[in-house]
């Protein structure tokens, strides 16, 4: 029997952050999957690892804007993906043939991890893959080309990763096996899996495989009889940063940080390092931690109208009452009145005095007679039904963060350096475009504090601040982040609700907002590129237009106002990626944005090696070579992302981190994901290693500037 090892990326896949699924070590049996924990209630939300029924089911999920937290992977012929699901959605998916494998993270886990990180900070202050299937008999021979073959050693274990392409691109049944030999003569093999993107074959690959020592030879064979030439795998990343001097200061991160915490830290750094810091108030205030106030008038299970305020809840609309009343007399018309913070709808009656108004009529009357104060829509399933006498009910914005300021938010950037006048090459590091990625501002703030604290004691750091102008935006999306910390920890988008009609139903409140990293202008959804959605409830909603959101306009405004910025790093989580443009393509023919020149491609890759090497110095974390490269090649098309606009429009060398690399578990022989809001010890480790990567980016910028011809 022929086993198909393939995974196809649907054309509209839209995720820019990833978790990598577990694979057993080669030569070992795949461990039995645990019984699916059927404990997700109908209203609870969780990240669930799901085995999908087939490719068609994955394609439907992508087309409907499902919130995937990973690049789906094939394991032993099964398609596995991490999905953000409610209990109801999980039940629907299971009924369609999917199987729940693991609860990766529950909605409440983030809050517990945040609280535990704060308590820890207070205490501190006080004190595999399956063995290859048999090759089939073939009459045609293909040609194989080894695109990648890298090895590295971390925490005492050596890993090998390979990527091979076949000329039999149209044959979905081609199987490719890698054979390796180590320096001491040990041999082994493992299978590769076919990868397609936007319906086009790309290559065969596998996750990093543990091997007993340094591999010195690698060949690939196919089920069609093709054999690659023998090559010697290359050490990855084969770059080491300068040694850290004695007394070098680091570890400035004690806990997860909310936007309020970050704002406080920015003020403290500005006071503490007046000679090295400017604080830049970015020009576009965000909406703030605010929403309109809403309520169900009636019973959604029987008949109801959703009423929400035009103004935000904190603008005097929280607590406003809404009611329908029976006038108690026959032949009365439908009327709407507002007095003393009470909206009263008097229902129409017939000749016998019975109320006869429908839900549609009530909603239309509210919209027509109180358009400056209220919007009304008929609840799903209630269209045309008799409107009951109901209420009074109180409008409420549903926000739980009582300590969060509700006013519009001024996003701030730190500017670090001795010469903050545009005369030095600039580097921009920005984080938390996606609200739920709590570890990302820890990375950028740890980086900023290292540069500032060591400027007074370490000559090398002082020299960097003499030569480079550094800009840091710790939280691009503070409103969404406040919502993630206080209301719904899986919130990805901002808080601006562009939904209209039934989509404004409060039951959708955790799906409102715009994906900031799909709201930029180059390679956007509005230009026909893949990787974003026009559905306001999608996790990848692109907004009403390019740069419709204050958050995205702020990033571009900072870059435009400081043309000396030549390098940028967008910090995301999770999954362990290191990427650069092009980040988007059109589905028809998979036509990407223009590729960088040969020289620029070399700079991107050589710099990536240096930065990956610096990250690995902290605790041995190595970003895989298969996850290092252009976004469109190693992840997905991400229409309208910020790195593409910075690179193509402003000429900035722009990268993306995905912090939170998979961790190898030697006991199980599996790679394990870490999630958006891991226990703080893991988030702290991510902050330390990726801050080191940002320091190396500053060195890259310094070296680039030095190499440029004078004048």
């Amino acid at each position: 029997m022929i086993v198909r090892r393939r995974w196809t990326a649907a054309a509209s896949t839209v995720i820019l952050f990833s978790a990598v699924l577990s694979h057993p070590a080669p030569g070992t049996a795949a461990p039995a999957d645990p019984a699916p924990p059927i404990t997700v209630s109908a209203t609870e939300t969780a990240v669930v690892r799901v085995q999908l029924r087939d490719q068609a089911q994955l394609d439907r999920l992508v087309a409907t804007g499902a919130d995937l937290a990973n690049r789906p992977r094939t394991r032993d012929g099964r398609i596995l993906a991490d999905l953000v699901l409610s209990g109801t959605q999980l039940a629907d998916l299971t009924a369609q043939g999917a199987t729940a494998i693991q609860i990766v993270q529950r909605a409440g886990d983030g809050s517990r991890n945040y609280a535990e990180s704060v308590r820890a900070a207070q205490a501190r202050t006080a004190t595999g893959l399956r063995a290859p299937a048999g090759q089939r008999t073939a009459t045609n021979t293909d040609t194989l080309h080894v695109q990648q073959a890298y090895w590295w050693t971390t925490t005492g274990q050596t890993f090998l990763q390979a990527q091979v392409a076949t000329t039999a691109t149209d044959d979905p049944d081609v199987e490719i096996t890698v054979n390796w030999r180590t320096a001491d003569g040990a041999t082994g093999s493992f299978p590769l899996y076919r990868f397609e993107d936007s319906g086009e074959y790309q290559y065969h690959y596998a996750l990093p495989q543990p091997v007993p020592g340094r591999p010195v030879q690698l060949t690939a064979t196919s089920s069609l009889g093709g054999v690659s030439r023998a090559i010697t795998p290359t050490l990855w990343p084969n770059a080491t940063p300068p040694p850290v001097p004695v007394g070098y200061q680091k570890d400035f991160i004690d806990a997860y940080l909310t936007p309020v915490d970050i704002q406080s830290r920015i003020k403290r750094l500005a006071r503490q390092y007046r000679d090295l810091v400017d604080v830049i108030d970015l020009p576009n205030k965000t909406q703030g931690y605010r929403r309109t106030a809403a309520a169900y008038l009636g019973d959604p299970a029987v008949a109801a109208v959703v009423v929400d305020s035009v103004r935000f809840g904190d603008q005097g609309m929280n607590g406003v009452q809404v009611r329908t009343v029976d006038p108690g007399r026959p032949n009365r018309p439908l009327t709407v009145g507002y007095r003393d913070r009470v909206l009263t709808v008097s229902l129409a009656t017939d000749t016998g005095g019975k109320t006869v108004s429908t839900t549609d009529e009530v909603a239309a009357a509210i919209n027509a007679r109180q358009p400056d104060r209220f919007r009304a829509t008929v609840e799903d399933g209630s269209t045309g039904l008799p409107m009951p006498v109901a209420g009074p009910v109180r409008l409420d914005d549903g926000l739980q963060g009582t300590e969060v300021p509700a006013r519009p938010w001024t996003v701030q950037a730190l500017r670090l350096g001795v010469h903050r006048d545009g005369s030095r090459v600039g580097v921009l590091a920005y984080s938390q475009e996606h609200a739920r990625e709590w570890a990302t501002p820890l990375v950028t703030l740890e980086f900023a504090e290292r540069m500032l604290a060591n400027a007074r004691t370490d000559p090398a750091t002082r020299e960097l601040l003499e030569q480079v102008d550094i800009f840091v935006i710790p939280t691009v999306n503070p409103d969404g982040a406040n919502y993630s910390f206080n209301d719904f920890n899986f919130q990805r988008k901002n808080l601006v609700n562009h939904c209209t009609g039934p989509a404004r139903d409060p039951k959708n409140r955790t799906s409102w907002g715009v994906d900031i990293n799909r709201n930029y202008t180059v390679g956007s959804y509005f230009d026909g590129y893949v990787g974003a959605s026009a559905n306001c409830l999608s996790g990848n909603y692109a907004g009403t237009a390019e740069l419709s959101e204050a958050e995205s306009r702020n990033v571009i405004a900072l870059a435009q106002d400081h043309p000396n910025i030549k390098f940028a790093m967008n910090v995301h989580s999770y999954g362990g990626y290191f990427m650069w443009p092009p980040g988007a393509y059109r589905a028809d023919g998979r036509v990407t944005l223009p590729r960088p020149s040969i020289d620029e491609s070399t700079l991107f890759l050589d710099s990536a090696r240096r930065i990956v090497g610096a990250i690995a110095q902290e605790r041995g974390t190595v970003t895989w070579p298969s996850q290092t490269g252009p976004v469109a090649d190693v992840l997905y098309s991400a229409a309208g992302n910020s790195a593409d606009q910075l690179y193509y429009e402003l000429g900035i060398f722009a990268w993306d981190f995905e912090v939170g690399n998979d961790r190898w578990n030697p006991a199980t022989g599996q790679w394990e994901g870490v999630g958006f809001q891991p226990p703080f010890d893991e988030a702290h480790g991510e902050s330390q290693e990726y801050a080191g990567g940002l320091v190396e980016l500053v060195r890259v910028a310094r070296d680039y500037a030095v190499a440029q011809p004078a004048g």
Side-chain angles (χ1 to χ4, degrees), residues 17 432 434-441 492 571-573 676-677:
F17 45 85
Q432 208 168 36
H434 293 143
R436 61 191 175 192
E437 297 169 9
W438 291 4
T440 62
R492 170 180 167 91
V571 184
H572 283 271
S573 76
F676 296 115
Q677 300 130 22

Side-chain angles (χ1 to χ4, degrees), residues 445-480:
L445 283 170
E446 170 72 19
F447 159 65
E449 293 227 32
R450 284 189 190 184
M451 298 303 297
L452 294 170
N454 289 289
R456 294 174 178 172
T457 58
D458 174 36
T461 300
R462 182 73 184 189
E463 181 182 9
L464 286 175
L465 287 177
E466 288 272 0
Q467 296 175 312
V468 182
D469 196 358
I470 299 171
F471 301 81
V472 178
I473 310 176
T475 178
V476 171
N477 180 12
D479 301 346

Side-chain angles (χ1 to χ4, degrees), residues 266-329:
I266 287 173
K267 291 179 181 177
R268 191 260 293 168
L269 292 175
R271 291 193 307 268
Q272 187 175 353
Y273 301 99
R274 297 180 187 275
D275 58 326
L276 295 174
V277 173
D278 291 331
V279 175
I280 302 173
D281 290 339
L282 299 182
N284 303 288
K285 290 182 181 291
T286 68
Q287 171 180 290
Y289 181 66
R290 304 194 291 179
R291 280 189 165 166
T292 57
Y296 293 108
L297 182 58
D299 183 352
V302 180
V305 169
V306 177
V307 180
D308 77 310
S309 60
V310 171
R311 292 186 298 170
F312 294 115
D314 70 295
Q315 294 177 311
M317 299 308 292
N318 280 333
V320 166
Q321 298 182 63
V322 184
R323 61 178 184 159
T324 54
V325 298
D326 182 342
R329 289 183 290 172

Side-chain angles (χ1 to χ4, degrees), residues 528-671:
Y529 285 81
V530 169
S533 173
N535 178 1
C536 70
L537 299 179
S538 167
N540 307 98
Y541 175 49
T544 56
E546 295 170 346
L547 295 179
S548 62
E549 306 308 299
E551 294 88 348
S552 55
R553 294 198 302 273
N554 279 332
V555 173
I556 300 307
L558 181 66
Q560 289 175 332
D561 291 346
H562 301 90
N564 63 317
I565 295 176
K566 297 300 180 186
F567 294 83
M569 184 68 73
N570 187 4
V571 184
H572 283 271
S573 76
Y574 63 103
Y577 284 77
F578 196 130
M579 302 174 291
W580 56 85
Y585 55 70
R586 298 178 187 271
D588 188 12
R590 199 182 180 277
V591 179
T592 70
L593 290 164
R595 297 279 175 170
S597 68
I598 293 175
D599 288 343
E600 289 186 337
S601 295
T602 300
L603 185 147
F604 275 124
L605 180 57
D606 289 349
S607 301
R609 286 176 176 270
R610 290 177 57 176
I611 297 169
V612 169
I615 293 167
Q617 291 300 295
E618 180 68 27
R619 55 174 183 166
T621 299
V622 176
T623 299
W624 305 341
S626 65
Q627 296 185 173
T628 302
V631 174
D633 295 340
V634 303
L635 191 59
Y636 300 118
S637 178
N641 70 82
S642 56
D644 278 346
Q645 183 165 356
L646 292 175
Y647 173 68
Y648 291 102
E649 188 172 273
L650 300 179
I652 295 170
F653 293 105
W655 285 273
D656 301 283
F657 275 156
E658 289 279 352
V659 310
N661 302 51
D662 276 20
R663 314 303 298 172
W664 175 253
N665 186 335
T668 62
Q670 297 185 40
W671 292 102

